[in-house]
């Protein structure tokens, strides 16, 4: 079964922006934002660990579920820094066609300031 996915990340980012200043007792997003960046980062770490555990269990449906949680909480981090999913997609597009080794070499060059590689 295929579901439309166009702009799901952008729509979810809009919902996060709407909810992050809501009453913390009425919104999970607002509750995490009210606790600050450390609480959001803790959730990202928890979801990353749960993703690894699901993969180690070898259950693809659990991997999808946990990656969805990880992506959601990563969107909260982006929102905290005033970033959008399109910023990450632009970075991935910039790296498209580069081998992971080429991309890493570009990061190693002076004054690049780029983050980690998403390439294998």
């Amino acid at each position: 079964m295929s579901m439309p996915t166009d702009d799901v990340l952008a729509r979810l980012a809009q919902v996060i922006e709407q909810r992050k200043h809501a009453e913390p007792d009425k919104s999970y997003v607002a509750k995490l934002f009210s606790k600050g960046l450390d609480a959001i980062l803790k959730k990202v770490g928890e979801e990353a660990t749960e993703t690894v555990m699901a993969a180690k269990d070898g259950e693809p449906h659990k991997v999808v579920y946990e990656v969805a949680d990880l992506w959601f909480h990563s969107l909260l981090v982006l929102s905290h820094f005033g970033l959008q999913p399109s910023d990450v997609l632009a970075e991935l597009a910039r790296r498209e066609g580069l081998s992971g080794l080429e991309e890493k070499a570009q990061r190693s060059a002076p004054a690049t300031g780029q983050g980690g590689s998403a390439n294998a």
Side-chain angles (χ1 to χ4, degrees):
M1 181 172 135
S2 177
M3 297 184 70
T5 57
D6 292 351
D7 300 320
V8 169
L9 294 175
R11 288 193 310 270
L12 190 51
Q14 287 177 341
V15 170
I16 288 168
E17 289 304 313
Q18 292 168 359
R19 294 187 182 168
K20 72 182 189 181
H21 298 296
E23 293 297 322
D25 60 340
K26 297 188 189 300
S27 167
Y28 174 74
V29 170
K31 182 176 180 178
L32 276 180
F33 272 92
S34 73
K35 292 181 177 182
L37 182 59
D38 284 348
I40 295 169
L41 295 176
K42 181 178 177 185
K43 286 302 296 182
V44 170
E46 289 172 9
E47 299 304 342
T49 299
E50 290 173 9
T51 299
V52 169
M53 291 168 41
K56 294 285 277 179
D57 289 344
E59 298 188 45
H61 68 282
K62 286 185 179 179
V63 172
V64 169
Y65 183 87
E66 296 302 342
V67 168
D69 283 348
L70 179 57
W71 284 14
F72 173 79
H73 289 89
S74 294
L75 289 174
L76 299 181
V77 174
L78 291 175
S79 176
H80 175 83
F81 287 101
L83 299 168
Q84 295 290 321
S86 60
D87 296 311
V88 177
L89 295 174
E91 176 60 17
L92 289 171
R94 183 191 69 78
R95 297 179 190 188
E96 189 174 16
L98 292 176
S99 77
L101 296 175
E102 288 173 315
E103 196 278 330
K104 186 173 181 178
Q106 287 180 0
R107 284 187 285 126
S108 299
T112 61
Q114 298 297 318
S117 175
N119 298 319

